[in-house]
Amino acid sequence: MKRNVLIVEDNRVCMEALAELTRKCDTVGAVFCVDNRKDAYTCAMENEIDLFLVDIILDSGNIHDISGFLFVKELREVRRYEFTPVIFITSLVDEAMSAFHDLHCFDYIEKPFDWEKTRKIIKTALKAPLCDERECSVFYYRKDGVLYALNIDRMIYLETSFRNVTIHTLDETIELPYASLKNLMKDLPRKYFIQCSRNVVINRLFIEYVDKVNRFIKLRNGELIKIGGKMKKGFLEEL
C-alpha cells in the first residue's frame, strides 16, 4: 500500500531535495510540501498522511520560532495522528532531542543533511505499521461527559445548525449540542467522509449516485443532499 508523506520545511531548496529523495522510495504515494504551520495542519486534515517530515524552525528570521514543534504538538491531539511517524528536521540536536521525547517523534535528521543517512531514516519510517483498520472503523464522540463509540459503517451523514451537530445513522439520530463539525472532522477518516457543503459531511459508503448538473447527492436511504455551490468543484475532485 502506497503511503502519503507531508514535508514541512521553509527552505525551498531543502524542501525540494527532501521531496525528490522521498519520491524515490517504492512505497511512497503522494508527497505534499508546505512551508508553514497553518498550511501543514490544513493539509494533514484534508489528506491521510502516513509520515511527517517537519522542520522545527519554520521562520528562520525569528530566533524564538518553534512553529514546527507546535504543529506536531497540535497534530498529536488529533486521534488518527496520535502515533503517526514524525521525523524532525533541525540544525540543533538539543532541540531535536527535546522534541523527540516530548512528542514521541520517530527520529530526527540534522542540517546539513547526510543524504544516505536521511534516505535510510525515511525508508525505515515508511515501514512503520499503518493505523489498524479495525480501529479506524470506529468513531468516538463525547456527549454529556461520556465517551461513546459508533461504527463508521452505520453513519450516513453529519450536519450542523445553530451550534449543534446531528449525526444521522442507520439506527438513530444523535444530537451533539455545542459541537463543531470542523472539530469532529478531525477524527473522521477522510477515505470515508467527504464534505459536500458548509453544513454537511457525508459517508461515501451511502452514496447511490451524484447528479452533477442539479447539484445533489442521492443516498442509499433515499435522501437527497444538496451540494454547496462553492464546494462543488472540490467535492467532485475529491470524490
Side-chain angles (χ1 to χ4, degrees), residues 157-167 174-182 184 199:
Y157 67 96
L158 299 84
E159 63 177 338
T160 182
S161 63
F162 303 109
R163 298 184 181 179
N164 296 333
V165 173
T166 303
I167 304 176
I174 302 167
E175 299 287 346
L176 301 180
Y178 305 106
S180 162
L181 188 61
K182 180 179 179 181
L184 290 177
N199 300 322

Side-chain angles (χ1 to χ4, degrees), residues 87-148:
I87 298 173
F88 274 116
I89 304 165
T90 185
S91 56
L92 303 173
V93 176
D94 290 343
E95 190 178 63
M97 291 306 296
S98 174
F100 187 93
H101 293 295
D102 293 346
L103 297 174
H104 314 292
C105 77
F106 182 85
D107 209 330
Y108 67 91
I109 51 180
E110 293 181 69
K111 293 180 179 179
F113 299 129
D114 176 331
W115 290 110
E116 181 58 26
K117 182 179 179 180
T118 299
R119 184 186 67 82
K120 289 180 179 179
I121 290 173
I122 292 173
K123 289 191 71 173
T124 302
L126 288 167
K127 295 177 182 178
L130 292 171
C131 175
D132 187 339
E133 290 296 330
R134 292 171 299 175
E135 185 72 12
C136 289
S137 67
V138 178
F139 170 68
Y140 295 92
Y141 67 93
R142 190 174 296 277
K143 183 176 181 180
D144 299 327
V146 179
L147 187 66
Y148 296 90

